[in-house]
Amino acid sequence: MKARKRFGQHFLQDASTHARIHDVLDVQPEDRVLEIGPGRGELTVGILRATENVVAVEIDRDLSRHLRVRFPQLEVVEADVLSVDASLFCGRRVLGNLPYNISTPLLIRMTEKVDCIDMHFMLQKEVVERLLAIPGTKAWGRLSVKIQRIFDVRPLFDVEPEAFDPPPKVLSAFIRMTYRPEPLTPKNLLLFDAILRQAFSQRRKTVENSLKSFQIDWAHIEIAETLRADQLTVAQYVRIADEATRQM
C-alpha cells in the first residue's frame, strides 16, 4: 500500500528501528496502548504480542480496512486523531509516527485535559529541537513553553530518512514525553495562551512593548521589562499570566 502525500505518510519500514522502539516501549500485558497512525501495522504486530488492549486511530480508509483484516483483534478507529474524544487517551500509553502537518496541533492537544500514561512519538528532528529548546535560543518558542510547562521530554534516538517509505527529506527522532511531577499551572490558561501568542508574534521586541495591551506590573513580579520573548522561562510566563489575571 503506497503512502498518500495528502496525509503526510512516511511508513517506518526498518526492522532494526522497529526493534529499538519495542525495546524502549517495553509494553507489558497490563498496558493499554493507543497507536496513532499505525499505517501498515508494522509496529502494531509487536505491540499486540505484548498486550491485547490496543486501539489504533487511522485516518486513511484503505489502511483502516487493511488493519481490520490483518488484525481482527485490533480496535481500529477510523478518524482524524485531532478530532477524537479525549477519553480515548485516558489511562493509555500513546504511540505515534506523526506526520509533520499534525505533529504540533497534536502536541498542543496533549497539553489539554488528556490523561494518558506516557507518550512516545516519532517526529521531525526540527520539532524535537523546539520541544527541547532553552530560553535565549532560536528554537525557543510557544511550543517549547506550552510543552515544558507540563511535560518532561527525553530524546531517545535519531532515525535516518532511509528507514521510511518514502524517505522524508529530513532527519527524524523518537522521543518519550512524561508528565512533570509538579506542572506549572497558570490561574487563567486562556490568558496564558494569549500572552504567549502575543509575545512570540513580536519576539524581537521587549516584553514591555509586545505585552503592553496587558496590565503587567513588572516590578511586582520581578521580571525585567527589557527582556525579549525568547529570553523568558516557562515559570516567568506563568508569573506574567498570573499578574495579568490579578489586574483584571
Side-chain angles (χ1 to χ4, degrees), residues 141-244:
R142 283 178 60 208
L143 183 63
S144 317
V145 176
K146 289 174 75 69
I147 293 297
Q148 292 183 28
R149 182 180 73 80
I150 300 175
F151 298 110
D152 288 320
V153 182
R154 180 183 175 188
L156 299 175
F157 53 86
D158 292 345
V159 182
E160 298 293 333
E162 293 73 28
F164 300 88
D165 175 31
K169 296 179 180 179
V170 296
L171 194 67
S172 300
F174 194 66
I175 67 165
R176 174 183 294 132
M177 292 172 54
T178 53
Y179 290 99
R180 292 181 56 169
E182 297 181 3
L184 299 170
T185 306
K187 295 174 182 176
N188 186 325
L189 275 172
L190 290 178
L191 190 56
F192 175 75
D193 288 344
I195 285 170
L196 289 183
R197 190 178 303 109
Q198 182 70 15
F200 282 103
S201 69
Q202 305 176 69
R203 61 187 297 145
R204 300 309 301 170
K205 289 186 176 182
T206 65
V207 288
E208 181 181 33
N209 288 326
S210 64
L211 299 177
K212 60 185 176 182
S213 60
F214 300 92
Q215 299 299 313
I216 308 297
D217 183 342
W218 299 102
H220 179 259
I221 58 175
E222 299 181 336
I223 294 175
E225 63 266 37
T226 54
L227 293 173
R228 300 188 307 271
D230 57 6
Q231 295 177 304
L232 296 175
T233 66
V234 177
Q236 286 175 320
Y237 273 112
V238 172
R239 279 157 55 196
I240 291 170
D242 286 350
E243 170 65 10

Side-chain angles (χ1 to χ4, degrees), residues 123-130 158 170-173:
L123 298 163
Q124 286 197 349
K125 188 68 179 293
E126 173 194 346
V127 176
V128 174
E129 289 171 351
R130 291 165 62 197
D158 292 345
V170 296
L171 194 67
S172 300

